[in-house]
């Protein structure tokens, strides 16, 4: 799977380079998390993306669109050739994930909303006696939004054991370090106090990610959160942990250097 993840990383950077804009840092940090989810855990039919009993994936950090589109095309939701239209006017693949794209459940980009929506989707599953699961992918800077904690409280109170939040804890937000701008710590304890089951992993370690999703599938009582320690810009030395690469496209020389470093 490491080879595939390198390919996704290269594709993300090529898309952002061609578009001349985008969000490399927080896309590169989530590659393994989404790759493992789609390849081994998610129930879906890419030829029938609205299948009633599909598992739902809500991308709350909607700016990670290059990552999401690369993953969705990898798993057959639409052809790879569409990726060259990323961020072009009138193309389907807009800069923040858009629900007309096959496989995207909710248009996002205004941070802080995905977990509330995910609670609604998960509650609908319970009320309608459906056995789908709901996964919500969040950024760490995004957790500074109050709405996230209202949703976290709801999920805990409602015991939404069909809901799995995935926090891409890459420690860097748009303008600097999360711990210096508004620390989330003690993050795991916060979720536990709100009634969640928690696991904390290395979000680039395939076997730890699998362990975490397996644990979620065995959860019977509480909503589940995977706190995934990741590296913003993972795989490219000059992008790693550097907020300058939150929302900037590499130029030709930078792209070449990045692709060489990623290798594969
Ligand atoms: C409500 C809202 N405020 C501000 C922004 C602008 N913005 C886009 S990405 C971002 C930083 C998000 O940081 P984080 O959640 O850590 O994302 P990641 O590092 O994973 O890319 C901000 C402030 C936004 N999209 N929505």
């Amino acid at each position: 799977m490491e080879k595939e993840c390198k390919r996704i990383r290269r594709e993300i950077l090529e898309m952002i380079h061609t578009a001349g804009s985008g969000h490399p840092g927080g896309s590169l940090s989530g590659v393994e998390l989404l790759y493992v989810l789609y390849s081994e855990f998610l129930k879906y039919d890419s030829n029938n993306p609205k299948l009633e009993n599909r598992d739902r994936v809500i991308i709350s950090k909607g700016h990670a669109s290059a990552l999401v589109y690369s993953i969705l095309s990898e798993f057959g939701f639409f052809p790879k050739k569409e990726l060259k239209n990323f961020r072009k006017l009138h193309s389907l693949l807009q800069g923040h994930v858009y629900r007309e794209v096959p496989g995207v459940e909710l248009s996002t980009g205004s941070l802080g909303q995905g977990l509330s929506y995910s609670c609604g989707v998960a509650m609908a599953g319970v009320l309608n006696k459906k056995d789908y699961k709901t996964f919500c992918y969040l950024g760490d800077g995004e957790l500074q939004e109050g709405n996230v904690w209202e949703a976290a409280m709801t999920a805990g109170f409602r015991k939404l054991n069909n809901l799995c939040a995935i926090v891409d804890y890459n420690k860097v937000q748009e303008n600097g370090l999360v711990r210096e701008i508004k620390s989330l710590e003690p993050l795991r304890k916060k979720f536990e106090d709100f009634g969640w089951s928690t696991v904390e992993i290395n979000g680039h370690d395939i076997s730890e990610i699998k362990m975490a999703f397996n644990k979620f599938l065995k959860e019977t009582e509480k909503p589940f959160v995977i706190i995934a320690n990741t590296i913003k810009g993972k795989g490219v030395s000059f992008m790693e942990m550097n907020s300058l690469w939150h929302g900037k496209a590499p130029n030709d020389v930078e792209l070449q250097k990045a692709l060489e470093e990623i290798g594969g």
Side-chain angles (χ1 to χ4, degrees), residues 143 149 167 169 184-201 211 215 224-227 229:
L143 295 197
W149 296 100
V167 177
Y169 200 177
L184 305 172
E185 292 300 332
L187 184 58
R188 190 169 182 176
K189 186 171 182 305
K190 280 193 177 78
F191 274 105
E192 283 170 357
D193 287 350
F194 277 57
W196 291 59
S197 283
T198 63
V199 66
E200 190 166 355
I201 60 164
M211 176 278 291
K215 228 172 155 190
F224 193 83
V225 60
I226 300 172
I227 298 173
N229 290 300

Side-chain angles (χ1 to χ4, degrees), residues 49-249:
K50 297 283 180 206
L51 190 75
E52 203 180 338
N53 225 16
R54 70 190 182 284
D55 288 341
R56 273 70 165 167
V57 181
I58 315 303
I59 304 294
S60 196
K61 43 174 275 190
H63 59 281
S65 51
L67 164 65
V68 173
Y69 298 152
S70 173
I71 290 281
L72 289 175
S73 64
E74 182 81 9
F75 290 95
F77 285 86
F78 53 84
K80 284 272 177 199
K81 64 175 168 30
E82 266 302 314
L83 297 178
K84 70 177 183 335
N85 296 322
F86 178 55
R87 280 181 165 254
K88 289 216 174 111
L89 198 62
H90 306 305
S91 114
L92 204 53
L93 303 187
Q94 290 302 300
H96 290 77
V97 299
Y98 174 49
R99 69 179 206 169
E100 294 300 316
V101 176
V104 174
E105 298 283 344
L106 179 70
S107 302
T108 50
S110 184
L111 294 167
Q113 302 183 2
L115 195 61
S116 293
Y117 183 85
S118 301
C119 282
V121 173
M123 279 165 71
V126 175
L127 292 169
N128 295 324
K129 300 191 171 43
K130 302 285 183 197
D131 71 354
Y132 64 75
K133 310 281 184 202
T134 302
F135 296 86
C136 181
Y137 176 53
L138 298 133
D140 51 0
E142 181 181 15
L143 295 197
Q144 295 161 345
E145 295 279 353
N147 192 355
V148 174
W149 296 100
E150 186 178 343
M153 210 159 100
T154 301
F157 176 68
R158 297 276 171 196
K159 301 192 189 320
L160 297 177
N161 62 4
N162 54 354
L163 174 65
C164 178
I166 305 160
V167 177
D168 187 344
Y169 200 177
N170 63 28
K171 318 290 185 298
V172 179
Q173 55 191 94
E174 189 173 16
N175 299 311
L177 294 172
V178 174
R179 70 161 194 273
E180 287 174 2
I181 293 168
K182 185 157 46 174
S183 172
L184 305 172
E185 292 300 332
L187 184 58
R188 190 169 182 176
K189 186 171 182 305
K190 280 193 177 78
F191 274 105
E192 283 170 357
D193 287 350
F194 277 57
W196 291 59
S197 283
T198 63
V199 66
E200 190 166 355
I201 60 164
N202 172 346
H204 299 303
D205 183 314
I206 307 279
S207 60
E208 287 192 28
I209 299 170
K210 288 184 187 176
M211 176 278 291
F213 283 129
N214 275 318
K215 228 172 155 190
F216 163 59
L217 294 180
K218 293 198 189 93
E219 176 64 49
T220 55
E221 290 184 6
K222 298 177 178 181
F224 193 83
V225 60
I226 300 172
I227 298 173
N229 290 300
T230 56
I231 295 173
K232 192 148 175 167
K234 169 75 176 168
V236 181
S237 60
F238 57 94
M239 292 186 182
E240 286 191 0
M241 306 310 282
N242 183 348
S243 63
L244 289 177
W245 287 99
H246 168 76
K248 180 168 98 116

